[in-house]
Amino acid sequence: ENNKWAGFEKSLHLMLEKEVIVPFSQVVKGEEYSYFLNCVKIGKDLENAVYELSQHTTFSPLFHALEPTWATLQPLLQTRYALSTTSDWLQPDLIVTVVIGPIIYACVSKTIAVTVPPQQQHGKKPTSHDEDKCQPKHDMRTIANMTCLDKCIVGILKALNKSSQENGTAELVELLTTPLHAISVAISMAVRMADKAQMKLGYALSKGRIHRGVPSMYAMSSILWSQLIQLRITFPAYTSALRYEHMIPSLAKESITSHQDVVSRLSEHGVILHSIVLPGDHQITLSTKGSKDQ
């Protein structure tokens, strides 16, 4: 089996060299869009391949697909070709993003498995006690795999952000990588590392302005802001301080100021939050469904 996947990795490397890296060095004006669309198709095809090959128990989406792809494409970020110096948008970081992005989605999908209660698997109506049962339950091996996967994703995102800032394509790359940042945050939450998720969101949302006074795409992302608000609702760091403001006035004031700053930035960027879940929402949903069934 190991030899089998070694052969797959070699074929993957050769395909990327032939279809992505070499053509990028040869593409001329007028062929940019056709080359770009072909790279998008390659990314989608590799995503489908990961889903299909993951049916084999010995196949690791991270070690046999994502890491070999990144190892092949990463040198492209340090390469400067004639067209990339004159093109306004066709840069190595953009090409790497559209190829490797779908693979990341597939890797995360196949790595994180949610445990569903047996009664829901058979189509039975959930009870009020199913909320806790529906929470993801991962063994230590899955948690370790998710941690390794997240480390790889974070490294890829850092390299893409750095390259896009240097090439002047930050807006395009940030727009495409925002969901990947959200996925990285979700992984941190899945492995019970809310503090790390908070740090990731803080880094992305506090990024400086690109140029001409335009905020980064991260700062205007409803996905990332919604994650931040959800995180603060789920893990309110200053609940006790707000409750006993007369005892800890400085901490309570800091919390209020922080919330006001968030609201101000949301209003400034015109961000509309979505998919925010408050404590008890699940019970209300179940109650509503129950009344309709009666």
Side-chain angles (χ1 to χ4, degrees), residues 211-256:
H211 51 71
R212 299 179 183 176
V214 179
S216 72
M217 293 294 103
Y218 301 139
M220 295 190 289
S221 167
S222 61
I223 298 176
L224 297 180
W225 279 111
S226 297
Q227 282 186 315
L228 178 65
I229 301 301
Q230 182 68 73
L231 187 60
R232 291 195 173 192
I233 292 174
T234 308
F235 300 97
Y238 302 121
T239 299
S240 59
L242 290 172
R243 186 175 302 172
Y244 304 106
E245 184 174 351
H246 63 286
M247 298 174 59
I248 323 177
S250 60
L251 192 55
K253 184 176 180 181
E254 178 185 347
S255 175
I256 294 172

Side-chain angles (χ1 to χ4, degrees), residues 4-270:
K4 173 183 177 180
W5 301 129
F8 169 77
E9 292 174 26
K10 182 178 180 180
S11 298
L12 176 63
H13 172 78
L14 292 175
M15 185 276 293
L16 291 172
E17 285 276 358
K18 179 181 178 181
E19 300 293 336
V20 178
I21 296 179
V22 173
F24 184 81
S25 65
Q26 300 173 345
V27 66
V28 296
K29 278 193 173 296
E31 298 179 353
E32 300 100 323
Y33 285 104
S34 59
Y35 167 73
F36 175 75
L37 291 177
N38 186 55
C39 290
V40 172
K41 181 181 181 299
I42 290 173
K44 188 62 180 178
D45 289 343
L46 290 176
E47 177 187 23
N48 294 333
V50 170
Y51 281 120
E52 183 176 347
L53 293 174
S54 294
Q55 298 176 10
H56 300 271
T57 57
T58 57
F59 180 80
S60 168
L62 171 61
F63 299 121
H64 297 140
L66 182 58
E67 287 189 345
T69 300
W70 176 234
T72 301
L73 295 180
Q74 188 176 11
L76 192 63
L77 298 179
Q78 282 80 47
T79 305
R80 295 295 178 269
Y81 296 119
L83 180 63
S84 66
T85 60
T86 58
S87 175
D88 293 332
W89 63 276
L90 189 64
Q91 298 292 336
D93 42 78
L94 182 62
I95 297 304
V96 173
T97 300
V98 299
V99 172
I100 208 166
I103 302 175
I104 293 177
Y105 295 137
C107 287
V108 174
S109 175
K110 301 307 295 186
T111 302
I112 299 181
V114 179
T115 301
V116 180
Q119 61 268 31
Q120 286 191 243
Q121 292 178 355
H122 294 87
K124 295 182 179 180
K125 184 175 70 174
T127 66
S128 59
H129 299 289
D130 285 336
E131 182 174 12
D132 292 335
K133 295 180 181 178
C134 287
Q135 297 302 316
K137 298 179 181 179
H138 308 294
D139 56 26
M140 295 305 296
R141 180 178 180 180
T142 303
I143 291 176
N145 289 338
M146 286 193 291
T147 302
C148 291
L149 175 58
D150 185 49
K151 182 178 179 181
C152 182
I153 293 174
V154 170
I156 292 172
L157 291 175
K158 285 183 178 179
L160 290 174
N161 287 333
K162 180 181 178 181
S163 177
S164 65
Q165 290 289 343
E166 294 173 352
N167 295 331
T169 54
E171 295 96 329
L172 281 173
V173 173
E174 287 179 353
L175 186 63
L176 294 174
T177 58
T178 292
L180 300 180
H181 278 279
I183 284 176
S184 180
V185 171
I187 293 176
S188 294
M189 294 302 299
V191 297
R192 307 287 195 239
M193 296 184 67
D195 54 340
K196 192 171 183 178
Q198 172 76 30
M199 290 177 59
K200 292 177 180 178
L201 288 168
Y203 168 77
L205 294 173
S206 63
K207 281 197 64 177
R209 298 174 181 272
I210 301 174
H211 51 71
R212 299 179 183 176
V214 179
S216 72
M217 293 294 103
Y218 301 139
M220 295 190 289
S221 167
S222 61
I223 298 176
L224 297 180
W225 279 111
S226 297
Q227 282 186 315
L228 178 65
I229 301 301
Q230 182 68 73
L231 187 60
R232 291 195 173 192
I233 292 174
T234 308
F235 300 97
Y238 302 121
T239 299
S240 59
L242 290 172
R243 186 175 302 172
Y244 304 106
E245 184 174 351
H246 63 286
M247 298 174 59
I248 323 177
S250 60
L251 192 55
K253 184 176 180 181
E254 178 185 347
S255 175
I256 294 172
T257 302
S258 176
H259 294 331
Q260 290 175 339
D261 178 61
V262 169
V263 173
S264 175
R265 293 190 64 187
L266 289 173
S267 176
E268 176 186 356
H269 299 319

